[in-house]
Amino acid sequence: GRGMAEEFTPRDIAPVFRPNGTTRPAGEAYAALLRDGFASWRLQVEGLVERPGSFTLAQLRAMPSRTQITRHDCVEGWSCIGQWTGVRLSHVLRLVGAKPQARYVVFHCMDLMEEGAYRVPYYESVDMDDAYHEQTLLAWDLNGRPLPVENGAPLRARVERQLGYKQPKYVQRIELVDSFAAHGAGRGGYWEDLGYTWYGGI
Ligand SMILES: Nc1nc2c(c(=O)[nH]1)N[C@H]1C(S)=C(S)[C@@H](COP(=O)(O)O)O[C@H]1N2
Ligand SMILES: [Mo]
């Protein structure tokens, strides 16, 4: 459906947006990106698209943007209100030309999660209804400032009708697919693979 998530006023913004999950991707690759202010970072957009794209942060920031004040609800039982600014995912999907067979958008993140002896990348996915939703953003600012490292710098998705784990941070690659069965354990996201529901409705 097209229903909108509730939006709030500047008065409602939490002084600190509580971080959760990864708060800084480990490893030299991310450290190097951080040192150069993400100048060498690129967002790759590929898969079931007519024109695969690679965008710098400056190119994304030059795109038409939306600013929204929303409440983030983590499944662990806390909430936080923040103001997000970014480009609508729908805008980027039109730039690359999503093919009609595309059924899901998969977000690939830069952080690895510890799974016993293994380390697996954080990933998430949404259907095209959420992908084209007015409030679904690729966000680069939180509360009017560049996204802090703890909250997903340089770019994170906002999918406002769903729970916190559906808000991937440190996004570096977006892939359009007709099935997510081949990713991770096949359930559409890092936490889904561990048992959370794929549609994390609030
Ligand atoms: N890449 C990545 N994205 C992630 C996570 C993570 O660990 N890594 N944690 C998720 C969870 S469970 C929540 S509640 C939110 C936390 O976002 P925040 O750190 O901005 O509060 O990010 C989500 N997206
Ligand atoms: Mo969460």
Side-chain angles (χ1 to χ4, degrees):
R2 296 280 102 187
M4 298 282 277
E6 185 175 0
E7 294 195 19
F8 297 82
T9 70
R11 248 177 298 124
D12 302 315
I13 295 172
V16 174
F17 197 93
R18 174 175 169 171
N20 198 38
T22 302
T23 51
R24 178 180 290 247
E28 175 52 27
Y30 187 81
L33 289 171
L34 199 52
R35 274 198 304 274
D36 83 352
F38 299 105
S40 57
W41 173 91
R42 298 288 182 278
L43 174 70
Q44 310 289 342
V45 187
E46 58 191 32
L48 296 172
V49 301
E50 304 290 350
R51 299 169 293 279
S54 171
F55 304 96
T56 66
L57 197 53
Q59 285 173 322
L60 291 166
R61 283 179 170 274
M63 292 179 187
S65 70
R66 185 181 208 279
T67 293
Q68 61 200 25
I69 301 173
T70 52
R71 194 188 61 233
H72 175 108
D73 293 321
C74 175
V75 75
E76 292 166 9
W78 55 271
S79 297
C80 213
I81 293 178
Q83 175 186 280
W84 304 100
T85 302
V87 61
R88 291 170 186 79
L89 178 58
S90 64
H91 180 83
V92 174
L93 296 185
R94 285 182 190 110
L95 283 179
V96 297
K99 292 187 178 174
Q101 313 92 279
R103 293 185 60 207
Y104 306 100
V105 174
V106 181
F107 302 93
H108 297 280
C109 305
M110 292 187 269
D111 55 324
L112 297 172
M113 309 294 283
E114 302 240 358
E115 278 308 308
Y118 301 92
R119 286 155 74 70
V120 300
Y122 199 96
Y123 77 104
E124 256 307 334
S125 62
V126 297
D127 64 15
M128 301 316 278
D129 183 60
D130 263 320
Y132 284 108
H133 188 269
E134 170 70 11
Q135 293 167 311
T136 297
L137 307 182
L138 298 174
W140 52 71
D141 277 2
L142 170 58
N143 300 334
R145 297 211 183 79
L147 199 55
V149 168
E150 306 84 70
N151 304 105
L155 194 77
R156 67 119 32 105
R158 293 301 308 172
V159 182
E160 301 291 0
R161 297 177 300 180
Q162 297 202 53
L163 290 163
Y165 64 91
K166 300 293 294 192
Q167 322 295 326
K169 308 194 282 189
Y170 317 109
V171 173
Q172 64 173 350
R173 189 161 64 87
I174 292 177
E175 188 183 5
L176 277 70
V177 299
D178 59 6
S179 159
F180 45 69
H183 293 83
R187 299 203 176 98
Y190 171 75
W191 283 112
E192 288 88 327
D193 287 341
L194 296 174
Y196 285 19
T197 59
W198 175 75
Y199 190 84
I202 289 169

